[in-house]
Amino acid sequence: MTFTQPSEHQFDIAFLGQYTKDTIITKSETRIVDGGAYFYGSAAAAALGLKVAAITRLAASDFASFRFLLERGVTVKAIPTEKSTCLQLLYPSDNPDERVLSVTSVAEPFEPADVASITAPVWSIGASIRGEVSLDVLKAIKAKGARIGLDAQGFVRVVRGGMLAYDREWPEKAEVLSLVDVFKADVVEAEILTGTHDLRQAARELAGFGVAELVLTHADGVVVYAGGSFHKAPFKPKSLVGRSGRGDTCLASYLAARITMPPDEATFWSAALTSLKMEALGPFAGTQADVEAALYERYGLHKVENT
């Protein structure tokens, strides 16, 4: 996959997704943190020194939440709404794939006009709930000639009785995936979409919709399917205190790395950065040097090598 180099007036990568105010409940504690795929993702991309734009919708009272991103050099387009999206994430065990999600409020969905002022060759779409990013918005981004990375969660998750539930019926699946270049799903979402626990089989089936690259995450690592080949790398965190935002960080770091790296190298880069992110609450706050050190110390790679 080849990416067009941006001009001085463009961003390298853009993120679209609602801010979420997350109440995270684990066996040991309860915390309220700022979240959302756009939040975790743009921080991860900024670690590579890229010119990053982030578009989000949230209540004006929560505007202070993205100060961290501004300090990292991210350009944030914040669109005020009556309410922010507020989620509760209950982790009953140490398995990050096992969680119960509920919703107390939802921000208004994006509109095509929201993306009109941002130009980038790569876009990462990180919705939380179906309806947040419509097919019309995706078409508006694709019309810019952009490569689109998209997370399954915002298209298979729906609100039912205040709870986030998975819907196996996704009427727009074929049309949405026809616009997507890199599609990310976790092991639960992959099974919902394909009916199989086997991530490799799921990747091949999803690729049949015309998606060039698949990024599939599970508790132990990431599997990438690109150009008919599989690449995999394990997560090696020293703790799981920051497990919320794992998938958002993994997709974003993969997309950012793919601007200059082939799929195999980008796979290890995303695994290493995501491992570091899981060791602390909130978005990745490290540097490119920290990721390179992790690649050497945890994966034995002086330089990312082919697997």
Side-chain angles (χ1 to χ4, degrees):
M1 182 164 60
T2 302
F3 291 98
T4 304
Q5 291 300 315
S7 74
E8 62 181 359
H9 302 295
Q10 292 178 314
F11 293 93
D12 297 313
I13 187 168
F15 291 83
L16 178 70
Q18 289 174 352
Y19 159 81
T20 63
K21 183 177 289 185
D22 298 337
T23 300
I24 300 175
I25 304 172
T26 66
K27 292 186 294 183
S28 60
E29 63 181 354
T30 297
R31 288 178 179 256
I32 297 177
V33 302
D34 298 318
Y38 101 94
F39 187 60
Y40 291 111
S42 54
L48 259 178
L50 299 176
K51 189 175 182 181
V52 180
I55 306 171
T56 191
R57 281 179 172 262
L58 72 172
S61 58
D62 289 321
F63 271 31
S65 65
F66 54 77
R67 182 179 300 135
F68 173 84
L69 298 180
L70 299 177
E71 293 171 351
R72 301 278 283 182
V74 176
T75 297
V76 179
K77 179 179 179 179
I79 303 165
T81 62
E82 182 180 352
K83 298 178 180 179
S84 292
T85 295
C86 296
L87 306 179
Q88 177 179 284
L89 298 85
L90 170 64
Y91 292 92
S93 71
D94 291 329
N95 181 356
D97 289 323
E98 184 183 354
R99 60 184 182 176
V100 180
L101 296 92
S102 56
V103 185
T104 57
S105 64
V106 178
E108 297 170 2
F110 292 98
E111 300 175 357
D114 295 336
V115 304
S117 61
I118 302 297
T119 302
V122 183
W123 283 70
S124 182
I125 311 302
S128 298
I129 304 166
R130 182 184 294 170
E132 180 180 323
V133 177
S134 68
L135 187 58
D136 286 341
V137 171
L138 293 177
K139 288 179 177 178
I141 293 171
K142 200 65 179 179
K144 296 171 178 281
R147 300 272 182 175
I148 293 178
L150 183 142
D151 196 319
Q153 68 178 14
F155 295 84
V156 299
R157 296 198 313 200
V158 296
V159 179
R160 290 177 181 158
M163 304 297 293
L164 268 188
Y166 292 99
D167 188 350
R168 294 181 181 275
E169 297 299 322
W170 179 12
E172 297 178 327
K173 178 170 67 174
E175 194 167 3
V176 168
L177 293 182
S178 71
L179 302 172
V180 173
D181 299 277
V182 181
F183 185 60
K184 179 262 170 187
D186 65 21
V187 64
V188 175
E189 294 154 353
E191 182 189 0
I192 286 171
L193 290 169
T194 65
T196 178
H197 289 281
D198 187 320
L199 286 180
R200 293 191 174 219
Q201 183 179 337
R204 291 189 184 97
E205 183 171 330
L206 291 168
F209 288 91
V211 182
E213 301 184 25
L214 283 302
V215 177
L216 304 179
T217 59
H218 55 97
D220 298 322
V222 57
V223 175
V224 168
Y225 184 58
S229 297
F230 283 98
H231 312 281
K232 64 179 182 177
F235 294 135
K236 295 189 174 185
K238 295 178 180 178
S239 75
L240 292 174
V241 66
R243 65 187 129 181
S244 183
R246 178 194 70 177
D248 304 327
T249 301
C250 190
L251 173 61
S253 53
Y254 179 82
L255 288 172
R258 278 292 286 119
I259 294 176
T260 57
M261 302 178 196
D264 53 352
E265 293 183 10
T267 301
F268 271 94
W269 178 271
S270 65
L273 190 152
T274 303
S275 296
L276 294 174
K277 178 265 170 292
M278 285 193 281
E279 295 171 359
L281 283 169
F284 179 66
T287 65
Q288 183 171 345
D290 293 330
V291 182
E292 291 169 348
L295 284 168
Y296 171 66
E297 295 167 2
R298 305 185 191 192
Y299 297 89
L301 299 173
H302 291 273
K303 171 181 177 296
V304 179
E305 301 170 346
N306 292 343
T307 56

